[in-house]
Amino acid sequence: MLRIAIDCRMIGSGGIGSFISELIPWFLEENECLLIGTHEQCTPFVRMQNVEFCFCDTKPFSLSEILNFPSEVLEKINSYNYYFTPYCNIPGGINIPVFSTIHDVVFLDVKGLTGFSGRLIRKEFYKRAVNYSKAVFTVSNFSKERILHHLHCKKPLEVIYNAAPAYLKQPFENELPAKKNQILFVGNIKKHKGLKTLLEAFEKASNSSSEFNSNLVIVGNAENFRTGDEETVNKINVLIENGAKISFTGRISNDELKYLYASSRLLVQPSLYEGFGMPPLEALTMGTRAIISDIPVFKEIYQDLPVTFFKAGDSEDLCRKLLLCSDEPFSEEENSLIQNKYSYKDSAKKIIEVMRRKL
């Protein structure tokens, strides 16, 4: 049995929060774990076995985290065997073996997401994680290749895939929602998410066929959407002014997102860059077909799953796929493949194996 201190301070912060929340129950099956985070972040695990808590509200990626992390928290962490962080932030003062995670290096690969200083700071955090870690984990072979390219990582770099979160696999309290004639987009309006391509394809499909009468539902808040792509924002505004059936959900809960996945006819993920790309897997898990761009990481992650690929950035090709893509239910064979392809249990097992090798 290993004794692992786990940084939980990013629970509630999108995909990374989900990543660590899903791994923790599998860590706890055969290991003792110290969970570091706020009371709220630790609450879901209070009834589990082999768990201890150390409450800490020092913000990740802050100067305090590096230079003045609480001494009482450090003392507790250093009484364990290993420290695992779901991202690339590592507090100063940790004296036990560290294992970190770099999900992607999108800020180094994609221009325009941040300024020069922001890019430099992020690269230093990546490099610091590599330097302080016994091993580094990432979520795809594509991300592994990009990390090696930018950071020249000499430490063991292990791929541990994401998986669909457990709440999606729980049955609905009532009957399964009926499919609606709606297309779902889950993401932000940054250029590398490819929303502009989807908007253009949606407009073309709407104009080319009277039978195409879908709504486009964008998960997020129109006012507070994180974006550096004003062209896409303007495109949305023009389409809505011209009567296009486009709506934003606003901030929604996991249960509301689960309902949208289940009730949508299609999910479209038109990304130009991802480290993994979770929404297609989540949609498939809920029985909803996905049209996704043919970027290398999607070819890696989804090549054996029942998805439809289109040429990345090509709105004409996406338009054709929107008009032709079936929304028929998955076969038993397809469902079995979707449910069993990726597992957080397997990912946690691999992390533990890597830690054991570093004894």
Side-chain angles (χ1 to χ4, degrees), residues 3 18 53 62 86 91 118 129 137 140 155-156 170 185 191 197 205 215 247 273 282 290 296 301 305 311 339 344 348:
R3 301 182 74 243
S18 177
F53 303 99
S62 64
F137 299 100
S140 65
K155 301 291 180 67
Q170 299 299 316
F185 171 85
K191 283 188 177 180
T197 302
N215 299 323
S247 61
Y273 186 101
E282 293 173 342
I301 302 299
L305 296 178
K311 186 176 180 181
Q339 300 299 328
Y344 277 115

Side-chain angles (χ1 to χ4, degrees), residues 19 117 143:
F19 171 78
S117 60
S143 280

Side-chain angles (χ1 to χ4, degrees), residues 61-118:
F61 298 101
S62 64
L63 282 176
S64 294
E65 178 185 50
I66 297 174
L67 302 176
N68 194 31
F69 204 66
S71 57
E72 65 276 12
V73 179
L74 286 173
E75 182 178 0
K76 199 69 181 176
I77 289 171
N78 289 327
S79 70
Y80 276 68
N81 302 129
Y82 305 100
Y83 182 82
F84 177 75
T85 172
Y87 204 28
C88 58
N89 57 304
I90 301 170
I94 295 178
N95 299 323
I96 58 176
V98 171
F99 296 82
S100 62
T101 314
I102 300 177
H103 293 254
D104 59 53
V105 285
V106 62
F107 289 101
L108 306 183
D109 268 331
V110 179
K111 294 180 179 179
L113 289 180
T114 186
F116 175 78
S117 60

Side-chain angles (χ1 to χ4, degrees), residues 28 38 104 121 146 154 181 240 286 326 334 341-342 344 354:
L28 287 170
T38 65
D104 59 53
I121 290 169
R146 301 312 298 159
K154 303 298 183 184
N181 193 15
I240 292 175
M286 296 310 302
S326 167
E334 288 173 324
K341 176 74 172 178
Y342 300 110
Y344 277 115
V354 172

Side-chain angles (χ1 to χ4, degrees), residues 170-187:
Q170 299 299 316
F172 284 93
E173 289 186 8
N174 300 312
E175 62 185 28
L176 188 70
K179 290 291 184 184
K180 300 177 182 178
N181 193 15
Q182 66 188 24
I183 295 168
L184 192 63
F185 171 85
V186 180

